[in-house]
Amino acid sequence: MAGKVKLPMGIEDFEEMRTMGYYYADKTGLIKTLLEHFGKVSLFTRPRRFGKTLNMSMLKHFFETGSDGTLFDGLEIARDQELCEEYMGKFPVIAVSLKNAASDTMDGAMELLRNIIGKEALRFSFLLESSSLTEMECRRYKALIQVDDNGIFTMKDQLLGDSLLFLSNCLYKHYGQKTIILIDEYDVPLDKAYHAGYYDAMVDFIRTLFGQALKTNSSLYFAVLTGCLRISKESIFTGLNNFNVYTVNDVQYNEYFGFSDMEVRKMLAFYGFMEKYETIREWYDGYRFRRLRHIYNPRSVVAAMTSGYFSNYWTSTETYEALKVYMDMDFQGLRTDIVQMLGGGCIRVNTRSFQNDMRTFRTKDDVLTLLIHLGYLGFDAETEEAFIPNKEIAGEFENAMSTGGWPEVMRVLQMSEKLLEDTLRCDEKSVAQGLDRAHMEAASILAYNDENSLSCAIGLAYYSAKKDYKLIRELPAGRGFADIVFLPLPFRKKPALIVELKYNKSADSAIWQIKNRHYAKALEGYCGEILLVGISYDRNCADKPHSCVIEKLMYGTGCQD
């Protein structure tokens, strides 16, 4: 059976997913949850490539008049027969996606919007043959769907601005049933407008486009919008009553966007790929919602399973130029925070000060919060800390730094391969010298203030180890916490490393602490060689501030005699 079910690479249409034999991770519980937490207008903010478009297509096929109910056979929602009888196929649905409405110019964006709205209006052109519309309404409707010789819709901008309200009213008159409006990725044209320099004009138009269609529309049953963030809450959404915004921190909808750990395991088991589970986690896990602690980027998981090759699939769909712009905004030491996160650290972020737009940046917290919304950073709502979630996203930060003003950091990353080799050879002198050079390169960005900042710096210095190791900071072990543990990834024939850091103390004392507090017990079940690595930094020793001691344990605790 598994061989007959295709992986849904690039499939965003629910009907195609269900009729053409693609594997589907069941998200239909979203329908019931949406109705239980009913709001006139609901906005779901999630990073791109987290399944928003497929979910919107699923909602359209469930609610739309004349929908094929068999598409939902065997799925979670089909078990609620009473709900299906009341809601399935009962509403006219207007569904538009603005994900392809990005342009370098305002004129270009308007043309794209005319075509997107025009095609949706054309879908309901049968209304022109009905008796429900007046002669004046028919003339206006024809103006919405009129095209030139090149097939470009030519509606005037004022008609485009009121188009959603007009379509909603026409459908209500025809069916006698209120409409549902679905708007996917509404903020894409605003994102592009910010970087292209016409943000204010696009905000004004998007406000007009949604306008009365969402605010005082008596023909509207409910509306759902998706985007990366709620932009300009004082402008676009002013006056909206009963308006609900659901971010990654709202537990009601966490399971419906992205793949949960259980869904990834189930998919891998179905296709016989369970041996890739740990690698999948290393590359694409790391997002933490308030209720679910392991969330994966769906597109990247499917792409990796399809090709058998682990790479930056999510980020390949975006340009890193936008990320580079935000990274270069060095508010209050933002660069230092980014470098610390690359080294495996977490940064406290106040997300409450963010103004929900792409141009009002007053502090580094505003920039970090935007990067969280865009999916470039993970966020733990319980600790209020941001971090680089996985190997895929770390690669995108590397790309942005490689073409920007981060030469010292790039040199540290390039030196990290040799540092790891010297460590595995137990060359203590070369390791200390390598750490001295790494510190010298990154001194303008990273300050060694305490053992925590030293830990981030060491994580950066050993950056290349991530291809063979899982780096775990503050791992509970024996009678304490091991500063950094490098655990070999499956099928990597490398020794494990237990690293203890000392600030203004000796490297020998670090080794003594590893042994005395039995940190090797953290690797219970591991079978293989373990290297104990003590690293010290002496701020009073300007020439050679680092020292290193390395010892071997021949077997892990899981080995049999």
Side-chain angles (χ1 to χ4, degrees):
M1 178 180 179
K4 297 180 181 179
V5 181
K6 297 174 285 188
L7 281 162
M9 183 62 192
I11 308 300
E12 297 180 326
D13 179 74
F14 181 75
E15 182 177 27
E16 181 181 2
M17 180 83 72
R18 296 291 290 164
T19 59
M20 300 303 293
Y22 289 100
Y23 187 98
Y24 178 62
D26 191 348
K27 302 291 185 179
T28 58
L30 171 63
I31 298 168
K32 184 174 182 178
T33 306
L34 186 66
L35 293 171
E36 289 175 343
H37 298 87
F38 186 83
K40 194 72 170 182
V41 180
S42 299
L43 167 62
F44 295 100
T45 63
R46 294 293 189 279
R48 298 205 172 100
R49 304 300 179 184
F50 266 67
K52 299 191 298 294
T53 298
L54 180 58
N55 276 343
M56 293 290 265
S57 177
M58 180 264 292
L59 293 176
K60 171 181 176 290
H61 284 287
F62 180 84
F63 287 107
E64 188 165 47
T65 301
S67 61
D68 181 3
T70 63
L71 295 176
F72 295 87
D73 286 351
L75 299 180
E76 178 183 348
I77 195 63
R79 295 195 289 270
D80 193 328
Q81 296 182 2
E82 184 177 343
L83 184 147
C84 290
E85 289 176 3
E86 183 175 358
Y87 292 99
M88 182 184 286
K90 297 297 194 297
F91 300 88
V93 177
I94 298 171
V96 296
S97 173
L98 305 190
K99 66 187 303 181
N100 295 317
S103 173
D104 291 325
T105 67
M106 184 67 181
D107 288 343
M110 294 301 294
E111 180 177 308
L112 291 170
L113 287 169
R114 281 193 289 270
N115 279 278
I116 290 169
I117 301 299
K119 288 178 180 178
E120 183 65 3
L122 190 61
R123 196 164 69 90
F124 303 112
S125 59
F126 60 84
L127 294 174
L128 293 171
E129 306 299 325
S130 72
S131 59
S132 58
L133 301 187
T134 66
E135 184 177 344
M136 183 178 295
E137 287 171 334
C138 285
R139 285 200 300 270
R140 181 175 178 183
Y141 206 106
K142 289 177 181 178
L144 283 183
I145 60 177
Q146 184 176 350
V147 297
D148 60 20
D149 293 339
N150 296 316
I152 304 298
F153 289 87
T154 59
M155 71 182 80
K156 296 184 181 299
D157 290 349
Q158 62 269 26
L159 294 181
L160 176 60
D162 290 337
S163 58
L164 296 180
L165 175 62
F166 176 69
L167 280 176
S168 179
N169 288 335
C170 290
L171 289 168
Y172 184 39
K173 289 181 66 176
H174 180 77
Y175 287 103
Q177 179 62 275
K178 291 187 176 183
T179 58
I180 292 173
I181 296 179
L182 307 176
I183 303 171
D184 188 36
E185 302 282 18
Y186 87 96
D187 55 345
V188 168
L190 292 165
D191 186 7
K192 186 64 177 181
Y194 167 71
H195 295 288
Y198 60 94
Y199 182 82
D200 286 339
M202 183 52 67
V203 166
D204 288 341
F205 187 80
I206 292 296
R207 184 193 302 118
T208 302
L209 178 62
F210 296 155
Q212 302 307 312
L214 300 182
K215 293 179 181 178
T216 59
N217 182 1
S218 60
S219 303
L220 178 68
Y221 183 57
F222 70 77
V224 176
L225 293 83
T226 71
C228 287
L229 68 160
R230 177 181 178 178
I231 301 177
S232 299
K233 59 185 177 184
E234 287 80 19
S235 58
I236 292 178
F237 300 114
T238 298
L240 270 177
N241 296 321
N242 200 11
F243 177 48
N244 299 324
V245 181
Y246 298 101
T247 69
V248 295
N249 293 325
D250 292 285
V251 297
Q252 301 100 316
Y253 296 96
N254 280 353
E255 62 194 283
Y256 303 121
F257 297 91
F259 282 163
S260 68
D261 191 65
M262 181 179 67
E263 287 171 332
V264 169
R265 286 176 176 269
K266 184 177 178 180
M267 180 181 290
L268 292 175
F270 183 82
Y271 286 99
F273 292 156
M274 276 305 295
E275 74 277 3
K276 297 183 179 181
Y277 170 70
E278 289 296 335
T279 309
I280 288 279
R281 283 192 63 179
E282 191 76 12
W283 271 90
Y284 309 118
D285 186 16
Y287 295 95
R288 300 175 190 170
F289 293 174
R290 190 175 290 275
R291 186 166 62 84
L292 298 177
R293 307 301 289 173
H294 296 279
I295 296 294
Y296 300 69
N297 185 308
R299 183 186 188 279
S300 299
V301 171
V302 172
M305 290 180 63
T306 301
S307 67
Y309 181 71
F310 297 96
S311 184
N312 295 23
Y313 296 106
W314 176 73
T315 49
S316 68
T317 68
E318 311 290 335
T319 172
Y320 65 80
E321 288 299 330
L323 176 60
K324 184 175 177 297
V325 169
Y326 299 125
M327 287 173 59
D328 289 342
M329 295 178 179
D330 194 18
F331 288 111
Q332 303 170 315
L334 175 63
R335 282 191 169 205
T336 299
D337 288 349
I338 291 175
V339 172
Q340 287 191 1
M341 287 187 287
L342 271 178
C346 297
I347 301 297
R348 290 271 297 183
V349 180
N350 175 17
T351 60
R352 294 175 292 279
S353 68
F354 185 50
Q355 294 300 302
N356 294 302
D357 66 29
M358 294 181 173
R359 63 173 184 174
T360 307
F361 301 106
R362 295 175 298 187
T363 68
K364 68 176 181 180
D365 283 341
D366 292 339
V367 181
L368 291 170
T369 302
L370 177 59
L371 294 179
I372 291 168
H373 280 290
L374 296 176
Y376 286 113
L377 293 177
F379 182 68
D380 190 324
E382 295 179 358
T383 63
E384 296 188 332
E385 291 179 325
F387 50 90
I388 294 176
N390 53 47
K391 192 170 182 178
E392 181 179 40
I393 301 301
E396 194 65 4
F397 276 90
E398 288 181 58
N399 290 339
M401 289 190 300
S402 67
T403 59
W406 303 65
E408 57 283 293
V409 177
M410 293 308 298
R411 284 193 290 269
V412 173
L413 300 187
Q414 291 162 5
M415 292 187 297
S416 65
E417 186 76 35
K418 184 178 185 304
L419 181 64
L420 178 61
E421 292 175 359
D422 291 337
T423 304
L424 297 180
R425 289 189 292 105
C426 299
D427 188 341
E428 300 168 343
K429 181 178 179 180
S430 294
V431 170
Q433 291 173 345
L435 292 172
D436 287 342
R437 287 192 295 270
H439 179 219
M440 188 178 302
E441 289 287 357
S444 61
I445 296 178
L446 271 180
Y448 283 23
N449 297 320
D450 50 32
E451 286 189 11
N452 180 61
S453 57
L454 175 60
S455 176
C456 293
I458 298 301
L460 186 69
Y462 279 100
Y463 190 79
S464 68
K466 293 182 180 180
K467 71 177 186 298
D468 294 315
Y469 289 91
K470 179 179 181 180
L471 187 152
I472 308 171
R473 300 180 68 202
E474 295 295 323
L475 181 67
R479 299 196 303 271
F481 294 83
D483 283 339
I484 310 176
V485 171
F486 292 83
L487 189 63
L489 295 175
F491 310 110
R492 306 294 204 279
K493 295 182 179 180
K494 304 280 186 179
L497 310 178
I498 300 177
V499 181
E500 184 64 24
L501 308 173
K502 290 298 176 184
Y503 186 73
N504 286 340
K505 296 180 182 179
S506 71
D508 285 318
S509 69
I511 295 294
W512 178 88
Q513 182 170 317
I514 294 174
K515 294 178 177 179
N516 181 261
R517 298 186 180 179
H518 306 293
Y519 285 172
K521 288 186 176 180
L523 302 183
E524 189 166 357
Y526 168 77
C527 181
E529 187 178 71
I530 300 175
L531 298 185
L532 312 183
V533 183
I535 295 174
S536 171
Y537 173 75
D538 185 351
R539 66 179 179 181
N540 298 315
C541 183
D543 294 334
K544 297 179 180 180
H546 292 88
S547 60
C548 176
V549 175
I550 303 174
E551 292 188 9
K552 291 183 180 181
L553 286 181
M554 293 309 297
Y555 298 103
T557 59
C559 294
Q560 301 295 321
D561 293 335

